[in-house]
Amino acid sequence: MRIPSRSQQRAITHLSGPAMVIAGPGSGKTFTIIERILYLIRNHHIPPQNILVITYTKAAASEMKERFEKAYISLSSSGDLKAQEAAAGAVNFGTFHSICYHILKQSGIIKENSLINEIDKRKLLQVILGNLGLLARSGYDEITGLVNEISRRKNFSCKQNISQPQETEEHQTKSSAVFSEEELAAVLREYDRHLREQGLIDFDDMILLCLQLFDTDERSLARYRRLFGFILVDEFQDINPPQYEILKRLAHPLDNLFVVGDDDQAIYGFRGATPGIMQQFSRDFGTAEQIMLTENYRCASNIVTLAGEMIRHNKERFVKEFYPQNPSGQLFFQCFDSRREEEMAMIRELSALSRDELMDTAIILRTNREAALYAGALKEAGIAVKGSRLKDEDIYHGFIMQDVLAFLTYLYEGHHRRDFICFMNKPGRFLTRMALPEEKVRIKTLEQYYDKNPEMLGMLRRLFRQLQIAEGLSPYLAVSLFRKTLGYNDYLRSRLGGERDHQRLLNLADRVQRCFEGYKPGGSPLKEYIAQKASEEAGSEGSGTVEEAGVRILTMHGSKGLEFDRVFLPDLNEGVIPGKDCLTLKDIEEERRLLYVAVTRAKKELYLYCSKERGRKPSRYLEGLVISGRPK
């Protein structure tokens, strides 16, 4: 039987009133939460149904519920297994969204199937953009930015109108560079209006509607206060302002609110979460007991030391010491002359691992795009990758498919302005939208705009001769002309730094091009053809992600909550981590927390790589750290 540490015991035996547990990586917070629930039930006879446990993800809620039920049954003195299971199952486990969803349903505010799914949300936003004359900016990436912007504004807004700007410039997202504030406000108004007309809500509405219910219906609030007499919250640093307001209302006036989090692992700023939420808790609940879980049972001592040295540079945090409980592991750092050398060094290390060792190994990257590129490199090298096959949506919904679709739609479906705009500057031709005042693109209109620029006129005439040739080709060959003659392959080269990365994008473009081998112009619209093809392949046997035994390739966000014997962190360069768009102190600190999360996933071995290719510099987060090099 595991014996709690002194600080864990303090947290477990806290009875009533507010408490905040600051739990560092690998400090046994899940164990502490489960033991606290058992303590409340066994030692103070708190009815299980009066305990609410909120976690950040559905998977985490399910895992914690399962672990608690096993522990409860194994410790129960009753011989009635069904009674034990019923008592254990009475504890309420869930995410913020699932809890709010059930409250709204029980209160009659929403009905079954009121939640809009992510696919329909994207389709709705595309329709809205078309209605507002913004269809040229309705590609996959632009709509992803809009989805995030809607969520961000709702999460920051609480009771305010989300169609109005709520934050200072340092909170603005990338969508601001794509849409003006007026355009964003119009899209958001139309989005909300459509949801209301159809009786639908999105995930963020669940939180806001629940908060509104508690603010306007005292009887409902009193009911749930009686039901949830003891509230425990995991990953507290990841909640946003509306969720925090719900917690405060539910817990009042007894304030039996027990929160567990780590401000150093707050990495969801784009969703409205901030490490300041934990500082705010200390101010709002001045009598709260504060407990530090700073023992690290996961990582080797030198990895803990490295992570501590790194995160201490952040200013917005609770000052804390880290106490590793394991001996030193292996920690390697190397800066290569090129990304190719960096990649080959990692492949050599991975090739020397057994199958079982690979299964407890992770490569953690900053973005999904980098993760996809590394998956391709390892596959080429014959290294097994868990889930190594790319999902069909990477082909059908990626930016390459969007660009190719716009090109072919322009050729075969009316020479529309929105399609031309999508590809006209890929590669850069410095064409402006102001030269295209009409819905249909005409070379004479463009010539009039550039009539005093002989160089642009020559380029335009060559471009339109090539477009005319493309119209007479099959779609497959037209895409080939688009890529080779019109320069789209060169555009792909400009998106990434290395030749190897460019080749992987070309391979992806090859797969996109093959999608059009069976299409005949004049049949169904191109977008319907591709949507149908994607649907058919998604439903066919063997499509989607293949779950193989092998190394895991993850993003830094996706690695949260996981742990591995060995972790590789390549591309630790300026411009990657922190990213090029990180300009404010708040952004810089969040990126450091993101790297801190990635570093603390490693239990025994940690490999830190960067490269000097094209004048790249190591990440500033590595400065001043004592890291050993790989022995020759």
Side-chain angles (χ1 to χ4, degrees), residues 518-595:
Y519 180 73
K520 295 181 180 179
S524 61
L526 275 156
K527 288 186 178 179
E528 289 184 14
Y529 169 80
I530 286 300
Q532 180 64 29
K533 194 172 180 67
S535 177
E536 290 172 357
E537 292 196 20
S540 64
E541 185 178 356
S543 67
T545 301
V546 176
E547 289 296 327
E548 298 182 67
V551 63
R552 292 284 299 274
I553 300 181
L554 303 159
T555 63
M556 291 181 179
H557 282 103
S559 71
K560 182 109 178 286
L562 303 177
E563 58 184 44
F564 305 90
D565 278 350
R566 66 196 55 77
V567 167
F568 290 83
L569 296 176
D571 294 341
L572 297 183
N573 285 92
E574 286 289 303
V576 177
I577 179 81
K580 295 177 183 177
D581 298 325
C582 293
L583 303 176
T584 68
L585 177 62
K586 189 175 290 288
D587 291 336
I588 295 298
E589 292 208 346
E590 177 152 332
E591 291 276 298
R592 185 182 279 112
R593 292 193 296 270
L594 197 55
L595 182 56

Coordinates of all heavy atoms in Angstrom, one line a residue, residues 518-595:
G518 N -10.1 10.6 -61.2 CA -11.4 10.1 -61.7 C -12.4 11.2 -61.9 O -13.5 10.9 -62.3
Y519 N -12.0 12.4 -61.7 CA -13.0 13.5 -61.9 C -13.1 14.0 -63.3 O -12.1 14.2 -64.0 CB -12.6 14.7 -61.0 CG -13.6 15.8 -61.1 CD1 -14.9 15.7 -60.5 CD2 -13.3 17.0 -61.8 CE1 -15.8 16.7 -60.6 CE2 -14.3 18.0 -61.9 CZ -15.5 17.9 -61.3 OH -16.4 18.9 -61.5
K520 N -14.4 14.2 -63.8 CA -14.7 14.7 -65.1 C -15.4 16.0 -65.0 O -16.4 16.1 -64.4 CB -15.5 13.7 -65.9 CG -14.9 12.3 -66.1 CD -15.8 11.4 -66.9 CE -15.1 10.1 -67.2 NZ -15.9 9.1 -68.0
P521 N -14.8 17.1 -65.6 CA -15.4 18.4 -65.5 C -16.8 18.4 -66.1 O -17.1 17.7 -67.1 CB -14.4 19.3 -66.4 CG -13.1 18.6 -66.3 CD -13.5 17.1 -66.3
G522 N -17.7 19.1 -65.5 CA -19.1 19.1 -66.0 C -20.0 18.2 -65.2 O -21.2 18.3 -65.3
G523 N -19.4 17.4 -64.3 CA -20.2 16.5 -63.5 C -20.6 17.2 -62.2 O -20.9 18.4 -62.2
S524 N -20.5 16.5 -61.1 CA -20.8 17.2 -59.8 C -19.8 18.3 -59.5 O -18.6 18.2 -59.9 CB -20.8 16.1 -58.7 OG -19.5 15.5 -58.6
P525 N -20.2 19.3 -58.7 CA -19.2 20.3 -58.3 C -18.0 19.7 -57.7 O -18.1 18.7 -56.9 CB -20.0 21.2 -57.4 CG -21.4 21.0 -57.8 CD -21.5 19.6 -58.2
L526 N -16.9 20.3 -57.9 CA -15.6 19.8 -57.3 C -15.6 19.6 -55.8 O -15.2 18.6 -55.3 CB -14.4 20.7 -57.7 CG -13.9 20.5 -59.1 CD1 -13.2 21.7 -59.6 CD2 -12.9 19.3 -59.1
K527 N -16.2 20.5 -55.1 CA -16.2 20.4 -53.7 C -17.0 19.3 -53.2 O -16.7 18.6 -52.2 CB -16.6 21.7 -53.0 CG -15.6 22.8 -53.1 CD -15.9 24.1 -52.4 CE -14.9 25.2 -52.5 NZ -15.2 26.4 -51.8
E528 N -18.1 19.0 -53.9 CA -19.0 17.9 -53.6 C -18.3 16.6 -53.9 O -18.4 15.6 -53.1 CB -20.3 18.0 -54.3 CG -21.3 19.1 -53.9 CD -22.6 19.0 -54.6 OE1 -22.9 18.0 -55.3 OE2 -23.3 20.0 -54.5
Y529 N -17.6 16.6 -55.0 CA -16.8 15.4 -55.4 C -15.8 15.0 -54.3 O -15.7 13.8 -53.9 CB -16.1 15.6 -56.7 CG -15.1 14.6 -57.1 CD1 -15.5 13.4 -57.7 CD2 -13.8 14.8 -57.0 CE1 -14.6 12.4 -58.1 CE2 -12.8 13.8 -57.4 CZ -13.3 12.6 -57.9 OH -12.3 11.7 -58.3
I530 N -15.0 16.0 -53.9 CA -14.0 15.7 -52.9 C -14.6 15.4 -51.5 O -14.1 14.5 -50.8 CB -13.1 17.0 -52.7 CG1 -12.2 17.0 -54.0 CG2 -12.2 16.9 -51.5 CD1 -11.3 15.8 -54.2
A531 N -15.7 16.0 -51.1 CA -16.4 15.7 -49.9 C -16.9 14.3 -49.9 O -16.7 13.5 -48.9 CB -17.5 16.7 -49.6
Q532 N -17.4 13.8 -51.0 CA -17.9 12.5 -51.1 C -16.8 11.5 -51.1 O -16.8 10.4 -50.4 CB -18.7 12.3 -52.5 CG -19.2 10.9 -52.7 CD -20.3 10.5 -51.7 OE1 -21.0 11.4 -51.1 NE2 -20.4 9.2 -51.4
K533 N -15.7 11.8 -51.8 CA -14.5 10.9 -51.8 C -13.9 10.8 -50.4 O -13.5 9.7 -49.9 CB -13.4 11.5 -52.7 CG -12.3 10.5 -53.1 CD -11.5 11.1 -54.2 CE -10.4 10.2 -54.6 NZ -10.8 9.0 -55.3
A534 N -13.8 11.9 -49.7 CA -13.3 11.9 -48.3 C -14.2 11.1 -47.4 O -13.7 10.3 -46.6 CB -13.2 13.3 -47.8
S535 N -15.5 11.2 -47.6 CA -16.5 10.4 -46.8 C -16.3 8.9 -47.0 O -16.3 8.1 -46.1 CB -17.9 10.9 -47.1 OG -18.8 10.1 -46.3
E536 N -16.2 8.6 -48.3 CA -16.1 7.2 -48.7 C -14.8 6.6 -48.1 O -14.8 5.4 -47.6 CB -16.1 7.0 -50.2 CG -17.5 7.3 -50.8 CD -17.4 7.3 -52.3 OE1 -16.3 7.2 -52.9 OE2 -18.5 7.5 -53.0
E537 N -13.7 7.3 -48.2 CA -12.4 6.7 -47.7 C -12.4 6.7 -46.2 O -11.8 5.8 -45.6 CB -11.3 7.6 -48.3 CG -11.1 7.4 -49.8 CD -9.8 7.9 -50.3 OE1 -8.8 8.0 -49.4 OE2 -9.7 8.2 -51.5
A538 N -13.0 7.7 -45.6 CA -13.1 7.7 -44.1 C -13.8 6.5 -43.6 O -13.5 6.0 -42.5 CB -13.7 9.0 -43.6
G539 N -14.8 6.0 -44.3 CA -15.6 4.9 -43.9 C -15.1 3.6 -44.3 O -15.7 2.5 -43.9
S540 N -14.1 3.5 -45.2 CA -13.6 2.3 -45.7 C -12.7 1.6 -44.8 O -12.1 2.2 -43.9 CB -12.9 2.5 -47.1 OG -11.8 3.3 -46.9
E541 N -12.5 0.3 -44.9 CA -11.7 -0.4 -44.0 C -10.2 0.0 -44.2 O -9.8 0.1 -45.3 CB -11.8 -1.9 -44.3 CG -11.1 -2.8 -43.3 CD -11.3 -4.3 -43.6 OE1 -12.1 -4.6 -44.5 OE2 -10.6 -5.1 -42.9
G542 N -9.5 0.2 -43.1 CA -8.1 0.5 -43.2 C -7.8 2.0 -43.3 O -6.7 2.3 -43.2
S543 N -8.8 2.8 -43.4 CA -8.5 4.3 -43.5 C -8.4 4.8 -42.1 O -8.7 4.2 -41.1 CB -9.6 5.0 -44.3 OG -10.8 5.0 -43.6
G544 N -8.0 6.1 -42.0 CA -7.8 6.7 -40.7 C -6.4 6.4 -40.1 O -5.5 5.9 -40.8
T545 N -6.3 6.6 -38.9 CA -5.0 6.4 -38.2 C -4.8 4.9 -37.8 O -5.7 4.3 -37.3 CB -4.9 7.2 -37.0 OG1 -5.1 8.6 -37.3 CG2 -3.6 7.0 -36.3
V546 N -3.7 4.3 -38.2 CA -3.4 3.0 -37.8 C -2.6 3.0 -36.5 O -1.6 3.6 -36.3 CB -2.5 2.3 -38.9 CG1 -2.1 0.9 -38.5 CG2 -3.2 2.3 -40.2
E547 N -3.2 2.3 -35.5 CA -2.6 2.2 -34.2 C -1.5 1.1 -34.2 O -1.9 0.0 -33.9 CB -3.6 2.0 -33.1 CG -4.5 3.2 -32.9 CD -3.8 4.4 -32.4 OE1 -2.8 4.2 -31.6 OE2 -4.1 5.5 -32.7
E548 N -0.3 1.5 -34.4 CA 0.8 0.5 -34.4 C 1.6 0.6 -33.1 O 1.6 1.7 -32.5 CB 1.7 0.7 -35.6 CG 1.0 0.6 -37.0 CD 2.0 0.8 -38.1 OE1 2.9 -0.1 -38.2 OE2 1.9 1.8 -38.8
A549 N 2.3 -0.4 -32.8 CA 3.2 -0.4 -31.7 C 4.5 0.3 -32.2 O 5.1 0.0 -33.2 CB 3.6 -1.8 -31.2
G550 N 4.9 1.3 -31.4 CA 6.1 2.1 -31.9 C 6.2 3.4 -31.1 O 5.5 3.6 -30.1
V551 N 7.1 4.2 -31.6 CA 7.4 5.5 -30.9 C 6.2 6.4 -31.1 O 5.5 6.4 -32.1 CB 8.7 6.1 -31.5 CG1 8.5 6.4 -33.0 CG2 9.1 7.4 -30.8
R552 N 5.9 7.2 -30.1 CA 4.8 8.2 -30.2 C 5.3 9.5 -30.7 O 6.4 10.0 -30.3 CB 4.2 8.4 -28.8 CG 3.4 7.2 -28.2 CD 2.1 7.0 -28.9 NE 1.2 8.2 -28.6 CZ 0.4 8.3 -27.6 NH1 0.5 7.4 -26.6 NH2 -0.3 9.4 -27.4
I553 N 4.6 10.1 -31.6 CA 5.0 11.5 -32.1 C 3.8 12.4 -31.7 O 2.7 12.2 -32.1 CB 5.2 11.5 -33.6 CG1 6.3 10.5 -33.9 CG2 5.5 12.9 -34.1 CD1 6.7 10.5 -35.4
L554 N 4.1 13.4 -30.9 CA 3.1 14.2 -30.2 C 3.5 15.7 -30.4 O 4.6 16.1 -30.5 CB 3.0 13.9 -28.7 CG 2.7 12.5 -28.4 CD1 3.1 12.2 -26.9 CD2 1.2 12.2 -28.5
T555 N 2.5 16.6 -30.2 CA 2.7 18.0 -30.1 C 3.0 18.2 -28.6 O 2.6 17.4 -27.7 CB 1.6 18.9 -30.5 OG1 0.4 18.6 -29.7 CG2 1.3 18.6 -32.0
M556 N 3.5 19.4 -28.2 CA 3.7 19.7 -26.8 C 2.4 19.8 -26.1 O 2.3 19.4 -24.9 CB 4.5 21.0 -26.7 CG 6.0 20.9 -27.2 SD 6.9 22.4 -27.1 CE 8.5 21.9 -27.7
H557 N 1.4 20.4 -26.7 CA 0.1 20.4 -26.1 C -0.5 19.0 -25.9 O -1.0 18.7 -24.8 CB -0.9 21.2 -26.9 CG -0.8 22.7 -26.8 ND1 -0.1 23.5 -27.7 CD2 -1.1 23.6 -25.8 CE1 -0.1 24.8 -27.4 NE2 -0.7 24.8 -26.2
G558 N -0.3 18.2 -26.9 CA -0.8 16.8 -26.8 C -0.1 15.9 -25.8 O -0.6 14.9 -25.4
S559 N 1.1 16.3 -25.4 CA 1.8 15.5 -24.5 C 1.4 15.6 -23.0 O 1.8 14.9 -22.1 CB 3.3 15.8 -24.6 OG 3.7 17.0 -24.1
K560 N 0.6 16.7 -22.7 CA 0.3 17.0 -21.4 C -0.4 15.8 -20.7 O -1.3 15.1 -21.3 CB -0.7 18.2 -21.4 CG -1.1 18.6 -20.0 CD -0.5 20.0 -19.7 CE -1.0 20.4 -18.3 NZ -2.4 20.9 -18.3
G561 N 0.0 15.4 -19.5 CA -0.5 14.3 -18.8 C 0.1 13.0 -19.1 O -0.3 12.0 -18.4
L562 N 1.0 12.9 -20.0 CA 1.6 11.6 -20.4 C 3.0 11.6 -19.8 O 3.6 12.6 -19.4 CB 1.6 11.5 -21.9 CG 0.2 11.6 -22.6 CD1 0.4 11.5 -24.1 CD2 -0.7 10.5 -22.1
E563 N 3.6 10.4 -19.9 CA 5.0 10.2 -19.4 C 5.6 9.1 -20.2 O 4.9 8.1 -20.6 CB 5.1 10.0 -17.9 CG 4.3 8.7 -17.5 CD 4.3 8.6 -15.9 OE1 4.2 9.6 -15.2 OE2 4.5 7.4 -15.5
F564 N 6.9 9.1 -20.4 CA 7.7 8.2 -21.2 C 9.0 8.0 -20.6 O 9.6 8.9 -20.0 CB 7.8 8.6 -22.7 CG 6.5 9.0 -23.3 CD1 6.0 10.3 -23.3 CD2 5.8 8.0 -24.0 CE1 4.8 10.6 -23.9 CE2 4.6 8.3 -24.6 CZ 4.1 9.6 -24.5
D565 N 9.6 6.8 -20.8 CA 11.0 6.5 -20.4 C 12.0 7.5 -21.0 O 12.9 8.0 -20.4 CB 11.4 5.1 -20.7 CG 10.9 4.1 -19.6 OD1 10.4 4.6 -18.6 OD2 11.0 2.9 -19.8
R566 N 11.8 7.7 -22.3 CA 12.7 8.6 -23.0 C 11.9 9.5 -23.9 O 10.9 9.2 -24.5 CB 13.8 7.8 -23.8 CG 13.3 7.0 -25.0 CD 14.3 6.0 -25.4 NE 14.8 5.2 -24.3 CZ 14.1 4.1 -23.9 NH1 12.9 3.9 -24.4 NH2 14.5 3.4 -22.9
V567 N 12.4 10.8 -24.0 CA 11.7 11.8 -24.8 C 12.8 12.5 -25.7 O 13.9 12.9 -25.2 CB 11.0 12.8 -23.9 CG1 10.6 14.0 -24.7 CG2 9.8 12.2 -23.2
F568 N 12.4 12.7 -27.0 CA 13.3 13.5 -27.9 C 12.5 14.8 -28.1 O 11.4 14.8 -28.5 CB 13.4 12.7 -29.2 CG 14.3 11.5 -29.1 CD1 13.8 10.3 -28.7 CD2 15.7 11.6 -29.5 CE1 14.6 9.2 -28.6 CE2 16.5 10.5 -29.4 CZ 16.0 9.3 -28.9
L569 N 13.3 15.9 -28.0 CA 12.7 17.2 -28.3 C 13.6 17.9 -29.4 O 14.6 18.6 -29.1 CB 12.7 18.1 -27.0 CG 11.8 17.6 -25.9 CD1 12.0 18.6 -24.7 CD2 10.4 17.7 -26.3
P570 N 13.3 17.6 -30.6 CA 14.1 18.2 -31.7 C 13.6 19.6 -32.0 O 12.5 20.1 -31.5 CB 13.8 17.3 -32.9 CG 12.5 16.7 -32.6 CD 12.3 16.7 -31.1
D571 N 14.3 20.4 -32.9 CA 13.9 21.7 -33.4 C 13.7 22.7 -32.3 O 12.8 23.5 -32.3 CB 12.6 21.6 -34.2 CG 12.8 20.8 -35.5 OD1 13.9 20.6 -35.9 OD2 11.8 20.4 -36.0
L572 N 14.6 22.6 -31.2 CA 14.5 23.6 -30.2 C 15.2 24.9 -30.6 O 16.3 25.3 -30.1 CB 15.1 23.1 -28.9 CG 14.3 21.8 -28.3 CD1 14.9 21.4 -27.0 CD2 12.8 22.1 -28.1
N573 N 14.7 25.6 -31.6 CA 15.3 26.8 -32.2 C 14.4 28.0 -32.0 O 13.1 27.8 -31.9 CB 15.5 26.6 -33.7 CG 16.7 25.7 -34.0 OD1 16.6 24.5 -34.1 ND2 17.9 26.3 -34.0
E574 N 15.0 29.2 -32.0 CA 14.2 30.4 -32.0 C 13.3 30.4 -33.3 O 13.8 29.9 -34.4 CB 15.1 31.6 -32.1 CG 15.8 31.9 -30.8 CD 14.9 32.5 -29.8 OE1 14.2 33.5 -30.1 OE2 14.7 31.9 -28.7
G575 N 12.1 30.9 -33.2 CA 11.2 30.8 -34.3 C 10.3 29.6 -34.3 O 9.3 29.6 -34.9
V576 N 10.7 28.6 -33.5 CA 9.9 27.4 -33.4 C 9.4 27.4 -31.9 O 8.2 27.3 -31.7 CB 10.7 26.1 -33.6 CG1 9.9 24.8 -33.4 CG2 11.3 26.1 -35.0
I577 N 10.3 27.5 -31.0 CA 9.9 27.6 -29.6 C 10.8 28.6 -28.9 O 12.0 28.3 -28.7 CB 9.9 26.2 -28.9 CG1 9.5 26.3 -27.4 CG2 11.2 25.5 -29.0 CD1 8.0 26.4 -27.2
P578 N 10.5 29.9 -28.6 CA 9.1 30.4 -28.9 C 8.9 30.7 -30.4 O 9.9 30.8 -31.2 CB 9.2 31.8 -28.2 CG 10.6 32.2 -28.2 CD 11.4 30.9 -28.0
G579 N 7.7 30.7 -30.8 CA 7.4 30.9 -32.2 C 7.6 32.3 -32.7 O 7.8 33.2 -31.9
K580 N 7.6 32.5 -34.0 CA 7.9 33.8 -34.6 C 6.8 34.9 -34.1 O 7.1 36.1 -34.1 CB 7.9 33.7 -36.1 CG 9.0 32.9 -36.6 CD 8.9 32.8 -38.1 CE 10.0 31.9 -38.7 NZ 9.9 31.7 -40.2
D581 N 5.6 34.4 -33.9 CA 4.5 35.3 -33.5 C 4.5 35.7 -32.0 O 3.6 36.4 -31.6 CB 3.2 34.7 -33.9 CG 3.1 34.5 -35.4 OD1 3.6 35.3 -36.2 OD2 2.4 33.5 -35.8
C582 N 5.4 35.1 -31.3 CA 5.4 35.4 -29.8 C 6.1 36.7 -29.6 O 7.4 36.7 -29.6 CB 6.0 34.2 -29.1 SG 5.0 32.7 -29.1
L583 N 5.4 37.8 -29.3 CA 6.0 39.1 -29.2 C 5.9 39.7 -27.8 O 6.7 40.5 -27.4 CB 5.4 40.0 -30.2 CG 5.5 39.6 -31.7 CD1 4.8 40.6 -32.6 CD2 7.0 39.4 -32.1
T584 N 4.9 39.3 -27.0 CA 4.7 39.8 -25.7 C 5.3 38.9 -24.6 O 5.5 37.8 -24.8 CB 3.2 40.0 -25.4 OG1 2.6 38.7 -25.3 CG2 2.5 40.7 -26.6
L585 N 5.5 39.5 -23.5 CA 6.0 38.8 -22.3 C 5.1 37.6 -22.0 O 5.5 36.5 -21.6 CB 6.2 39.7 -21.1 CG 6.7 39.0 -19.8 CD1 8.1 38.4 -20.0 CD2 6.7 40.1 -18.7
K586 N 3.8 37.9 -22.0 CA 2.8 36.8 -21.7 C 3.0 35.6 -22.7 O 2.9 34.5 -22.2 CB 1.4 37.4 -21.8 CG 0.3 36.5 -21.3 CD -1.1 37.1 -21.4 CE -1.2 38.2 -20.4 NZ -1.3 37.7 -19.0
D587 N 3.2 35.9 -24.0 CA 3.3 34.8 -24.9 C 4.7 34.1 -24.7 O 4.7 32.8 -24.8 CB 3.4 35.4 -26.4 CG 2.0 35.9 -26.8 OD1 1.0 35.4 -26.2 OD2 1.9 36.8 -27.7
I588 N 5.7 34.8 -24.4 CA 7.0 34.2 -24.2 C 7.0 33.3 -23.0 O 7.6 32.2 -23.0 CB 8.1 35.3 -24.0 CG1 8.3 36.2 -25.3 CG2 9.4 34.7 -23.6 CD1 8.8 35.4 -26.4
E589 N 6.3 33.7 -21.9 CA 6.2 32.9 -20.7 C 5.4 31.6 -21.0 O 5.7 30.6 -20.5 CB 5.7 33.7 -19.5 CG 6.7 34.8 -19.1 CD 6.5 35.1 -17.6 OE1 5.5 34.7 -17.0 OE2 7.4 35.8 -17.1
E590 N 4.3 31.8 -21.8 CA 3.5 30.6 -22.0 C 4.3 29.6 -22.9 O 4.2 28.3 -22.6 CB 2.2 31.0 -22.8 CG 1.4 29.7 -23.1 CD -0.1 30.0 -23.2 OE1 -0.6 30.9 -22.5 OE2 -0.8 29.3 -23.9
E591 N 5.1 30.0 -23.8 CA 5.9 29.1 -24.6 C 6.9 28.4 -23.7 O 7.2 27.2 -24.0 CB 6.6 29.9 -25.8 CG 5.6 30.4 -26.8 CD 5.3 29.3 -27.9 OE1 6.2 28.9 -28.6 OE2 4.1 28.9 -28.0
R592 N 7.5 29.1 -22.8 CA 8.4 28.5 -21.8 C 7.7 27.4 -21.0 O 8.2 26.3 -20.8 CB 9.1 29.5 -20.9 CG 10.1 28.9 -20.0 CD 10.8 29.9 -19.1 NE 11.8 30.7 -19.7 CZ 11.7 32.0 -20.0 NH1 10.6 32.6 -19.6 NH2 12.7 32.6 -20.6
R593 N 6.5 27.7 -20.6 CA 5.7 26.7 -19.9 C 5.4 25.5 -20.8 O 5.4 24.3 -20.3 CB 4.4 27.3 -19.4 CG 4.6 28.3 -18.3 CD 3.3 28.6 -17.6 NE 2.3 29.2 -18.5 CZ 2.1 30.5 -18.7 NH1 3.0 31.4 -18.1 NH2 1.2 31.0 -19.5
L594 N 5.2 25.7 -22.0 CA 5.0 24.6 -23.0 C 6.2 23.7 -23.1 O 6.1 22.5 -23.1 CB 4.6 25.2 -24.3 CG 3.9 24.3 -25.4 CD1 2.6 23.7 -24.8 CD2 3.6 25.1 -26.6
L595 N 7.4 24.3 -23.2 CA 8.6 23.5 -23.2 C 8.8 22.8 -21.9 O 9.3 21.6 -21.9 CB 9.8 24.4 -23.6 CG 11.1 23.7 -23.7 CD1 11.1 22.5 -24.7 CD2 12.2 24.7 -24.1

